[in-house]
Amino acid sequence: MSTVPYEKLHRKWAQLDKGNITNLQGSQLRMLAAFVYKHEIVVTTTSQSLFGQPVYCRYFDCHRRELNGTAWKSLMFPISVAFCARRAGAMFMSLSETPDGNFHGEPVPLVKRIAENYTHEISACVGPIYGNESRWLEIAETTEHHLIIGVTHFYFTIFDRMNEYSRKLVDEYERLGYFEVTTIQNEYEAVDWMSHMLQINVTSSRSNRFVNRTIFQDCHFRSRYHSKWILNVDIDERLVMLKQPLPSLLESVDSNVGEILITATRLVRDERLPEKYIGREHLLKELEYLKYHKTIKPMWDVPKILFRPEKVQALFYHWSYAQNPGVKVQALSVKDAYIRHYRTIFMSLLGHWHLDKKFKMTGMDPILEQKVTEAVTSRLESVYNQRKIRCEEIRDGLLGHFSKDNYNCTYSNGTRYVDVAPGN
């Protein structure tokens, strides 16, 4: 195969400067992932500075040996993505600036996305987590809330620094098959909002008054032909359905609809997130949907979307700017659904967003609140409610068989074995 779908459109958009921003001009070109579809291969990278420049797709066999004479010229579009032609025998991929020059880093394995049927009907792309706050509560709330309303799978992105306590919960969701986790390693010792583009890329258009926009990169292509519908949410956002369940709504949508816009409303989160799970009583005081009610009116300038990954070509953070020919965009009435965004006023871009706003007090449906509360509590209890080994639990003959320092147990009266056992 010597071409890729929409190749001419990609070059046209690049020439028009759509999708271009150089947030970090010195960022290295590192391979992030590669996906093989029926008609093309897509390679995602961590670069943020090569938009529109030519790159060469490099193909490797199962032993990571390059397939001679197979280099294929592409360009970086969107900001850190290259579309490549398929090659027989290719199992790993990399990129280079010249057809026979050094490729960048270790080739990455091809992830197959060529199944006839979708693995998931409704999944969520969850915006990457960065910053110093412990985010375990938001992870649990967002996940359990969306599981209840009909989402079954989550594409989750973390950077190379994450609170260990929160990562424990992420690992549990991944073990159970709910999460597909992408961990992004780059050359910077600290990451912030500028690294957001590694999963969600900021773009700009010279012909539009909006200077900064965001589009999906890794999650967009990771979910193609793997999930039929994708909900775009951040960790502090929850979709609320008002008239009918999410699955039945999507079943009623015409087949030519590739994107559904959903209005968003912001709620003021004016306290820090808790560092650790203490217990149910404390949890009921900290759950965001029970604690925060100060709400501004819905805003159509910052909507979120449900979209079909293979029907759109490039996405802003809030909507797409390019769809396949014939694909339509539909907007949901605020009476049907909306996004509740529990937005912080701390350490945030535009953290003063709440000033000079009119508010009203709102909440979710009490039945939904109860379901989410029980689900979140159950999940957190299973992950974080742990105790020490009691010495009485250790079978006869084993306790004392080794050096006392090998026994990390405590008697029921609170005495540690290592403090009372004789010998070494």
Side-chain angles (χ1 to χ4, degrees):
M1 192 172 293
S2 58
T3 61
V4 300
Y6 308 109
E7 180 181 356
K8 291 182 179 179
L9 274 177
H10 295 166
R11 296 187 183 280
K12 178 180 178 180
W13 289 330
Q15 291 172 357
L16 293 174
D17 214 33
K18 287 188 175 182
N20 182 20
I21 190 169
T22 53
N23 231 14
L24 296 171
Q25 298 183 33
S27 60
Q28 297 177 0
L29 176 58
R30 294 189 181 191
M31 302 304 103
L32 181 55
F35 307 96
V36 57
Y37 310 114
K38 186 175 181 180
H39 299 294
E40 81 258 76
I41 291 171
V42 168
V43 180
T44 62
T45 78
T46 65
S47 170
Q48 300 182 48
S49 59
L50 294 175
F51 174 88
Q53 297 187 28
V55 291
Y56 287 83
C57 303
R58 308 287 288 273
Y59 304 83
F60 301 81
D61 65 15
C62 61
H63 300 291
R64 298 177 186 264
R65 295 178 301 209
E66 186 166 11
L67 300 175
N68 293 330
T70 59
W72 191 79
K73 188 177 181 179
S74 182
L75 83 161
M76 200 65 83
F77 177 88
I79 186 172
S80 50
V81 174
F83 286 77
C84 304
R86 289 189 57 172
R87 290 286 185 265
M91 299 295 291
F92 293 82
M93 295 292 298
S94 189
L95 299 174
S96 61
E97 281 87 6
T98 61
D100 53 2
N102 293 330
F103 54 88
H104 291 270
E106 287 282 330
V108 291
L110 277 173
V111 178
K112 293 183 178 180
R113 292 292 192 251
I114 52 178
E116 292 295 325
N117 299 312
Y118 297 104
T119 303
H120 304 282
E121 281 290 313
I122 311 172
S123 298
C125 280
V126 182
I129 291 177
Y130 48 82
N132 297 321
E133 280 191 291
S134 184
R135 308 303 284 271
W136 58 271
L137 179 58
E138 287 189 322
I139 294 169
E141 281 196 48
T142 296
T143 303
E144 299 301 333
H145 174 104
H146 289 107
L147 284 172
I148 288 171
I149 69 168
V151 176
T152 60
H153 189 69
F154 300 81
Y155 302 95
F156 207 91
T157 303
I158 62 174
F159 293 124
D160 53 4
R161 181 187 64 169
M162 186 181 194
N163 175 282
E164 182 179 353
Y165 194 81
S166 301
R167 183 57 193 259
K168 185 175 183 179
L169 183 59
V170 170
D171 289 344
E172 177 67 359
Y173 280 122
E174 186 177 28
R175 182 186 72 84
L176 294 170
Y178 292 114
F179 282 9
E180 184 171 329
V181 179
T182 300
T183 302
I184 297 178
Q185 307 282 355
N186 64 16
E187 69 268 34
Y188 302 106
E189 67 178 31
V191 294
D192 57 18
W193 64 270
M194 284 186 286
S195 294
H196 206 172
M197 284 73 74
L198 302 184
Q199 192 234 12
I200 303 175
N201 290 324
V202 173
T203 71
S204 67
S205 174
R206 292 174 180 167
S207 62
N208 199 292
R209 66 185 177 87
F210 291 101
V211 176
N212 291 328
R213 297 196 173 173
T214 48
I215 61 173
F216 282 97
Q217 172 199 281
D218 186 71
C219 189
H220 181 192
F221 298 109
R222 188 173 297 278
S223 61
R224 271 191 175 182
Y225 302 104
H226 189 242
S227 296
K228 185 175 182 179
W229 284 98
I230 292 294
L231 170 66
N232 161 31
V233 287
D234 279 343
I235 198 66
D236 56 359
E237 296 171 331
R238 322 281 148 73
L239 172 61
V240 177
M241 304 300 299
L242 298 176
K243 285 189 176 179
Q244 62 178 314
L246 178 59
S248 61
L249 169 72
L250 296 179
E251 288 174 2
S252 68
V253 172
D254 291 340
S255 60
N256 62 350
V257 172
E259 175 185 350
I260 299 174
L261 293 167
I262 310 165
T263 188
T265 185
R266 292 175 178 172
L267 295 92
V268 176
R269 176 168 75 82
D270 55 4
E271 293 186 26
R272 304 286 184 181
L273 296 168
E275 289 295 319
K276 292 188 176 182
Y277 176 69
I278 299 175
R280 181 183 176 91
E281 183 176 348
H282 178 255
L283 178 67
L284 294 176
K285 298 177 182 178
E286 296 292 344
L287 288 167
E288 289 183 321
Y289 55 90
L290 298 180
K291 185 174 185 178
Y292 303 111
H293 303 280
K294 197 174 180 180
T295 311
I296 66 173
K297 65 180 182 180
M299 302 179 297
W300 276 111
D301 57 333
V302 286
K304 285 306 180 80
I305 59 173
L306 284 153
F307 67 95
R308 296 284 302 274
E310 70 274 18
K311 290 183 179 290
V312 297
Q313 289 298 305
L315 295 161
F316 296 141
Y317 186 63
H318 297 291
W319 54 79
S320 72
Y321 70 83
Q323 306 89 28
N324 296 353
V327 170
K328 295 183 178 181
V329 177
Q330 177 178 317
L332 283 183
S333 167
V334 68
K335 296 180 180 180
D336 293 318
Y338 72 104
I339 296 287
R340 290 176 71 85
H341 182 183
Y342 297 90
R343 183 165 182 174
T344 178
I345 62 173
F346 302 114
M347 295 170 18
S348 172
L349 293 177
L350 302 177
H352 57 280
W353 64 269
H354 62 296
L355 300 178
D356 301 322
K357 294 289 192 301
K358 293 182 179 180
F359 298 94
K360 65 178 181 179
M361 306 301 284
T362 70
M364 296 194 306
D365 176 71
I367 296 177
L368 177 58
E369 288 183 347
Q370 183 62 31
K371 288 181 179 179
V372 176
T373 299
E374 293 302 322
V376 170
T377 303
S378 177
R379 186 74 65 192
L380 296 177
E381 283 283 311
S382 69
V383 174
Y384 294 121
N385 190 16
Q386 298 176 309
R387 62 175 176 81
K388 294 182 179 296
I389 298 172
R390 294 193 298 270
C391 298
E392 292 91 342
E393 293 180 278
I394 301 176
R395 67 177 177 83
D396 294 341
L398 182 59
L399 189 63
H401 184 73
F402 302 103
S403 169
K404 65 179 183 179
D405 293 334
N406 286 282
Y407 297 93
N408 184 26
C409 70
T410 302
Y411 287 101
S412 298
N413 62 6
T415 303
R416 295 192 310 159
Y417 180 80
V418 70
D419 293 334
V420 298
N424 296 324

